[in-house]
Amino acid sequence: MRLECGDIPYYLEVPEGLRLKLSGLKAMLQLPDGLKQYSNIIAGCVSEYTGATVVVQGDSVFGACDLHYQELLQFNDIDAILHVGHTPYPDYLGDRVNVNPKGRVKVMFIQARFKGLPNEQTLGALLNVIRARGLTRVALATTVQYEPAYSKVLEFLRRNGVETVTFRGPAEYYEEGQVIGCDYSFVPRRVDGFVIVSSGEFHALGLYLATLKPVIQLDVTRDSVKDLTGAGERLYASRLFRVSQAMDASRWGVIVGTKTGQNRPWVVSALENVMKRRGVSYIEIYAGLLDRLTLANFDSDWYQVFVVTSCPRLPIDDFNDYQKPVLTPGEAFMALMRTLSPYRFPW
Ligand code: SF4
């Protein structure tokens, strides 16, 4: 059901039965950082609609991998989490995604859809870039908040004769065309390239690394079009350099995630099995939020390379220029197997 909250540039899509499930309860509203500026409006709106008392989580919430169950254990009066802006995190990627405190806390996902749509000039620019790149068959991707713009772009491309392939990851976790920063496993490969309807470069560059095919972005918030293939190629080259730097390392730090969806024991054990076979020493470091200060605090001469098994975007987006190689799991396997091809991203 569509819920309009004041004059913010988003509308909410709330699940059926939300009002019944929440009436009279106390709920913790989790917003992505970009939506926190509207926290008073969204909290008031949801509270009025459901009859629940709504409080707001102030910590950063990076995705549906980050539901903060641990913190909620401290508070016996929180009955539900209202997680806004993401679809459920896939169970096949995280080990404890759905382990909430004894089932006490309900988790409900609410979508925030950006209302803005690309104008005709932007759509025309998109068509020009697709033709200039010589792409005849493209797959169309998006992130969940831009579904309205995605539908408009899909209709436009097909109307203008561009063969446009749609796709969908497992239905319990994904909407049509949706990707997240650590899962591109279901994206079609038999295309000339991709168009992604998104904002910022995060998901677009991830799409490049996962497929190594041209990626053209329609940025909905800026109403602009960018061919990000060159940026993807440069990022790819820098990642190969990092992998090559790590090939001879014999002392590794293995970052193990503690956030709800970022604990991945099978990734950790698969990596450590290869390390043991190669005679490589390692130390496991458990961390929730991993930023440069946290890493620098425990970094020492002993560590020659780190692999991050929590969020595989941290090595790329936050540590690409760190003084030592900080690798994704896929890159760590490459380094341990002493190969630069094929490039594995992210796992
Ligand atoms: S990319 Fe990182 S923050 Fe985003 S969903 Fe995946 S693990 Fe979570």
Side-chain angles (χ1 to χ4, degrees):
M1 182 203 145
R2 180 172 173 142
L3 186 61
E4 296 282 352
C5 295
D7 58 358
I8 65 174
Y10 295 82
Y11 66 87
L12 302 184
E13 217 169 87
V14 298
E16 291 299 322
L18 185 75
R19 194 199 303 247
L20 272 180
K21 285 182 188 146
L22 284 186
S23 182
L25 302 183
K26 185 168 180 180
M28 174 75 84
L29 187 70
Q30 295 182 338
L31 298 166
D33 284 350
L35 291 185
K36 283 195 170 72
Q37 60 187 306
Y38 309 120
S39 61
N40 59 321
I41 296 170
I42 295 176
C45 181
V46 172
S47 177
E48 188 183 334
Y49 172 70
T50 59
T53 302
V54 176
V55 297
V56 178
Q57 177 134 27
D59 307 280
S60 286
V61 176
F62 294 104
C65 60
D66 193 14
L67 292 172
H68 294 262
Y69 294 132
Q70 295 94 326
E71 289 95 314
L72 292 184
L73 267 177
Q74 303 169 50
F75 307 108
N76 285 326
D77 61 339
I78 303 280
D79 305 296
I81 291 172
L82 294 178
H83 186 93
V84 178
H86 307 108
T87 47
Y89 193 67
D91 292 273
Y92 58 81
L93 289 181
D95 190 50
R96 297 181 301 156
V97 188
N98 294 310
V99 181
N100 69 60
K102 300 177 187 139
R104 177 175 63 78
V105 179
K106 299 186 176 100
V107 181
M108 278 160 243
F109 291 85
I110 294 178
Q111 297 316 319
R113 310 285 191 192
F114 187 68
K115 292 178 191 167
L117 296 173
N119 63 34
E120 288 303 312
Q121 200 179 350
T122 308
L123 291 169
L126 175 63
L127 202 54
N128 289 340
V129 178
I130 291 171
R131 287 180 177 151
R133 266 254 160 226
L135 310 181
T136 55
R137 180 177 155 86
V138 299
L140 184 62
T142 190
T143 54
V144 71
Q145 66 271 47
Y146 299 117
E147 191 278 330
Y150 165 90
S151 299
K152 182 169 180 181
V153 173
L154 178 61
E155 187 276 324
F156 172 83
L157 290 179
R158 287 188 168 159
R159 181 160 42 85
N160 284 275
V162 180
E163 189 184 350
T164 309
V165 175
T166 57
F167 62 89
R168 183 173 183 169
E172 58 270 51
Y173 311 118
Y174 291 101
E175 297 186 358
E176 182 180 300
Q178 183 194 352
V179 292
I180 60 173
C182 54
D183 193 12
Y184 300 88
S185 55
F186 43 80
V187 164
R189 267 49 179 189
R190 296 176 72 173
V191 292
D192 302 326
F194 295 89
V195 172
I196 182 165
V197 178
S198 61
S199 61
E201 297 184 352
F202 180 85
H203 294 92
L205 290 177
L207 188 53
Y208 181 85
L209 289 179
T211 63
L212 302 181
K213 287 186 181 257
V215 175
I216 298 165
Q217 183 204 29
L218 189 149
D219 187 321
V220 189
T221 55
R222 292 165 192 248
D223 225 355
S224 66
V225 174
K226 259 199 262 179
D227 186 342
L228 288 172
T229 313
E233 287 167 350
R234 288 190 291 281
L235 183 59
Y236 173 52
S238 70
R239 297 313 300 169
L240 290 185
F241 174 64
R242 290 315 216 166
V243 173
S244 65
Q245 278 185 314
M247 283 181 177
D248 295 323
S250 56
R251 302 187 303 271
W252 286 61
V254 179
I255 311 292
V256 179
T258 59
K259 287 179 179 286
T260 48
Q262 295 189 3
N263 187 259
R264 315 179 201 280
W266 62 91
V267 177
V268 174
S269 65
L271 280 167
E272 291 178 353
N273 284 341
V274 184
M275 288 177 188
K276 283 175 198 151
R277 283 207 304 276
R278 300 262 158 189
V280 166
S281 304
Y282 60 85
I283 291 178
E284 288 183 5
I285 299 156
Y286 280 62
L289 186 69
L290 184 75
D291 56 20
R292 290 176 84 97
L293 182 61
T294 317
L295 188 62
N297 278 342
F298 56 72
D299 195 358
S300 70
D301 288 346
W302 190 86
Y303 296 103
Q304 295 173 310
V305 52
F306 295 97
V307 53
V308 180
T309 68
S310 52
C311 173
R313 297 306 297 261
L314 294 174
I316 288 160
D317 297 85
D318 295 5
F319 294 105
N320 200 29
D321 60 347
Y322 194 70
Q323 66 261 29
K324 295 174 185 177
V326 181
L327 303 183
T328 66
E331 292 167 344
F333 283 117
M334 292 168 65
L336 290 163
M337 307 306 281
R338 295 174 187 273
T339 180
L340 289 176
S341 176
Y343 181 65
R344 283 177 66 163
F345 176 79
W347 307 110

